Amino acid sequence: MHMGGISIFFPDEYLDSAYEIDFEDYYQKGMRGVIFDIDNTLVPHGAPADERAVRLFDKLRRTGYRTMLLSNNSKPRVKSFAKETGTDYLYKAGKPKRAGYLQAMECMETTKASTLFVGDQLFTDVWGARRCGIHAILVKPIHPKEEIQIVLKRYLERIVLYFYERKMQKR
C-alpha cells in the first residue's frame, strides 16, 4: 500500500483518552483553542456530560483556552452537552469537510497553529482536522457499542493504525 496516500489519515498523536492530554503543556507551546468531538471522545455515544467532562472544560477555561464542540450530531444532542459543559458548539458539522473546523477556529479566534483537535474517528475527525492543518489528537473510543457504519469504519481504521504504528516505530 502506498504510504503517501494513507498518511493523510494519521493523527499527530494517538492517546488512550481525551482526559490524559497535557493541555497545560500545549498552552505553554502556544495552543489557545481546543475543538472536541463529543460521542465516544468525551462520553459514551449519546450520554450526557458527566462530572469528568464538566471538570475538563472548567480546567481548560481556567488555563485560558477557548473551546468548541464540533459534531455531526443533531442540534438537541450537541446543544444540551454544550450547555452542561459551558462551551460553544457547531452541530451537523459535516466532518470531514473543512468548513466546520474553519468556523470553529473563527469563533474561538484561533489559527490552525494555535488550535488542537480531539476526536475518536480517523475518517471524519482526524482527516478533517489534518485537511485544515490543525494538530489532531486521536483518542480511543470510550464505548465499544456502536452503529454498524461506525463498526465498519473501525475495521478500516485498524488497518490505517497498523501502518501509523509501524511508521512511529521507525522514528
Side-chain angles (χ1 to χ4, degrees), residues 57-68:
F57 282 88
D58 282 344
K59 184 177 133 189
L60 290 169
R61 270 191 296 277
R62 282 197 312 271
T63 305
Y65 278 106
R66 299 285 302 271
T67 57
M68 178 70 73

Side-chain angles (χ1 to χ4, degrees), residues 31-122:
M31 293 299 180
R32 292 298 179 262
V34 189
I35 304 170
F36 288 97
D37 174 53
I38 304 172
D39 288 311
N40 274 331
T41 297
L42 293 166
V43 290
H45 192 86
D50 55 18
E51 201 182 316
R52 191 166 67 148
V54 172
R55 273 200 317 265
L56 175 64
F57 282 88
D58 282 344
K59 184 177 133 189
L60 290 169
R61 270 191 296 277
R62 282 197 312 271
T63 305
Y65 278 106
R66 299 285 302 271
T67 57
M68 178 70 73
L69 300 174
L70 186 67
S71 174
N72 288 349
N73 218 317
S74 66
K75 186 175 182 178
R77 163 67 178 139
V78 183
K79 185 180 179 181
S80 66
F81 194 94
K83 195 174 174 202
E84 292 163 333
T85 53
T87 189
D88 291 322
Y89 65 95
L90 292 167
Y91 64 94
K92 290 200 173 157
K95 294 178 289 184
K97 289 186 187 138
R98 296 174 63 213
Y101 298 85
L102 298 174
Q103 196 182 338
M105 286 190 288
E106 200 177 305
C107 292
M108 295 188 301
E109 300 175 330
T110 59
T111 64
K112 61 186 180 185
S114 64
T115 304
L116 291 172
F117 179 85
V118 183
D120 73 303
Q121 291 190 52
L122 281 177

